[in-house]
Amino acid sequence: EAQVTQNPRYLITVTGKKLTVTCSQNMNHEYMSWYRQDPGLGLRQIYYSMNVEVTDKGDVPEGYKVSRKEKRNFPLILESPSPNQTSLYFCASGKLAGGSNEQFFGPGTRLTVL
Amino acid sequence: QKEVEQNSGPLSVPEGAIASLNCTYSDRVSQSFFWYRQYSGKSPELIMSIYSNGDKEDGRFTAQLNKASQYVSLLIRDSQPSDSATYLCAVGVRGTSYGKLTFGQGTILTVHP
């Protein structure tokens, strides 16, 4: 089954404790991206990757890191989480072709930072 | 002005009616436009994409793009209660090979029997 998976799905942590949210896709997509969704603010892009070893900032990259060492994986790293990073996070992947970028989203990770 | 704005909701329509969702964008050179549906507690799912001016139809859904007026709309014909969800408009930003997407804040649609 074609899918984007994220782990963990739910996470409660404390301020300053480094964490990684994993994202994996089995569709051989070049493109992957991370978003956060907050009430009243909609979906905001954190980072995206056009291919292996190619990453770029979205609208809200501060406090996050990413890496793309393999095509299928795109982990999101919070080196020192803070309460304002409490949010619902989505990973997405897409096949770039002819100027299109139709993305498929993972199930989401609900993160709470105390 | 926000880069991508959607008509404020919530929008309520009776079953069988046409639901009209609108989205305006500020970057005149944006080239790719998407509509996503998000059920409560679920992830967004792509329902329509449109890249050139005019209409694009897929079943009960029609996306309309007018680049001169910088708006994109989604029409849902014969609305069903199962269409009740939040609809997100997304616009591909120029100069980033469409890697950077900006989403609107979403419009909540309720279809009542």
Side-chain angles (χ1 to χ4, degrees):
Chain A
E1 180 190 355
Q3 60 183 350
V4 179
T5 58
Q6 296 179 226
N7 282 292
R9 295 287 313 279
Y10 303 91
L11 179 60
I12 301 175
T13 188
V14 296
T15 298
K17 186 176 181 181
K18 181 179 178 179
L19 66 92
T20 298
V21 183
T22 65
C23 174
S24 183
Q25 51 95 4
N26 62 1
M27 296 170 278
N28 201 35
H29 285 162
E30 298 91 353
Y31 178 92
M32 297 186 76
S33 184
W34 276 103
Y35 298 87
R36 60 178 290 174
Q37 188 171 37
D38 303 287
L41 296 177
L43 269 170
R44 292 179 293 168
Q45 194 172 36
I46 302 171
Y47 272 96
Y48 63 94
S49 169
M50 303 293 280
N51 215 323
V52 176
E53 302 291 0
V54 181
T55 62
D56 211 341
K57 296 178 181 179
D59 289 321
V60 288
E62 296 79 17
Y64 305 94
K65 286 177 58 176
V66 293
S67 67
R68 187 93 181 273
K69 293 182 170 52
E70 307 167 276
K71 197 171 188 179
R72 63 181 292 125
N73 296 322
F74 191 45
L76 179 69
I77 302 158
L78 285 72
E79 295 259 352
S80 183
S82 62
N84 64 11
Q85 292 178 298
T86 293
S87 187
L88 178 59
Y89 290 86
F90 288 104
C91 179
S93 74
K95 188 171 183 60
L96 298 172
S100 73
N101 185 3
E102 299 177 353
Q103 299 183 38
F104 300 89
F105 283 76
T109 295
R110 187 166 293 281
L111 172 65
T112 301
V113 183
L114 302 175
Chain B
Q1 181 190 1
K2 292 182 182 177
E3 291 183 47
V4 179
E5 287 202 64
Q6 297 185 235
N7 51 330
S8 58
L11 178 64
S12 181
V13 301
E15 185 173 357
I18 296 175
S20 178
L21 303 159
N22 299 315
C23 174
T24 58
Y25 59 94
S26 59
D27 190 335
R28 183 169 292 277
V29 194
S30 297
Q31 293 294 322
S32 54
F33 308 87
F34 309 92
W35 282 100
Y36 285 84
R37 177 177 62 199
Q38 186 176 24
Y39 292 115
S40 181
K42 300 295 185 182
S43 55
E45 57 177 326
L46 180 68
I47 52 173
M48 290 288 283
S49 59
I50 188 166
Y51 305 99
S52 52
N53 278 328
D55 295 359
K56 179 181 178 181
E57 188 174 315
D58 184 0
R60 295 186 296 112
F61 298 97
T62 299
Q64 300 175 316
L65 175 60
N66 184 323
K67 290 186 178 181
S69 300
Q70 294 177 240
Y71 84 77
V72 55
S73 63
L74 179 70
L75 300 177
I76 307 174
R77 291 183 302 280
D78 188 24
S79 295
Q80 301 296 309
S82 59
D83 294 325
S84 298
T86 298
Y87 288 80
L88 304 168
C89 171
V91 176
V93 178
R94 66 172 171 144
T96 66
S97 298
Y98 312 108
K100 191 168 183 294
L101 283 196
T102 299
F103 282 77
Q105 76 276 25
T107 299
I108 298 172
L109 171 66
T110 302
V111 181
H112 52 88

